[in-house]
Amino acid sequence: MTAATSAGAASSAEPPHADLTPGDLVGTWRLESYLTVGPDGATAEGPLGPAPAGLLLYGADHRMSVSMMRTDDAEPGAEPRAGTRFMGYAGGWRLAGRQVVHTVAVSSHSYLLGTRQVRDCVLDDEVLTLTGSARTADGVRRGVLTWRRADGEPR
């Protein structure tokens, strides 16, 4: 690909980091992956294991809900694994530039009640990546959640 072709291709498509509108997020999203990035940049599976399942719903009325669960021990007779098995919360949402802010009204974790959960937000066609940060004893840890628009959802 020549430099001229590269420049032309880049200008004809909207970059994935462009500011979003609320309409871009409205709908249902399915969780594809949940990874943790440590202070040293190392990537590991998130708290819901290697194959989490989840739904994220953004309403046009600015209400939202997210439910996520561990699936690697979901087979009948499987031994439950230690750690988190389910995470979820619901409340309001709004966009602030390239971030989405969730205001938590109910949650499976009481420490989230009444908080604002701020996520960096990148939409690349039908894939939504939300990244949040938390300060830990060993530095800042990031959670990177990748969502795909659910089949049949209007855009």
Side-chain angles (χ1 to χ4, degrees):
M1 180 179 278
T2 67
T5 307
S6 295
S11 64
S12 66
E14 184 174 315
H17 58 275
D19 284 346
L20 299 168
T21 66
D24 292 330
L25 297 186
V26 169
T28 303
W29 301 84
R30 291 192 182 280
L31 185 62
E32 288 200 329
S33 67
Y34 185 166
L35 301 173
T36 300
V37 180
D40 61 356
T43 302
E45 70 183 35
L48 296 173
L55 290 174
L56 171 62
L57 291 81
Y58 284 118
D61 62 354
H62 288 268
R63 299 285 179 203
M64 62 78 57
S65 177
V66 61
S67 297
M68 302 176 289
M69 64 179 269
R70 186 175 200 109
T71 64
D72 56 337
D73 60 358
E75 303 217 3
E79 282 292 315
R81 296 181 184 259
T84 303
R85 298 193 37 75
F86 178 83
M87 299 169 72
Y89 62 82
W93 72 279
R94 67 179 173 82
L95 282 175
R98 294 184 184 137
Q99 294 181 319
V100 62
V101 180
H102 300 158
T103 304
V104 180
V106 296
S107 175
S108 61
H109 299 295
S110 61
Y111 63 87
L112 290 175
L113 292 175
T115 65
R116 290 182 355 190
Q117 299 297 306
V118 179
R119 305 290 184 252
D120 293 333
C121 187
V122 175
L123 179 61
D124 188 1
D125 194 28
E126 301 294 304
V127 176
L128 175 65
T129 303
L130 300 179
T131 304
S133 299
R135 187 160 305 281
T136 64
D138 58 342
V140 175
R141 196 169 293 280
R142 292 180 295 136
V144 180
L145 291 87
T146 303
W147 303 87
R148 180 170 297 278
R149 191 175 296 279
D151 291 338
E153 277 295 310
R155 227 179 138 171

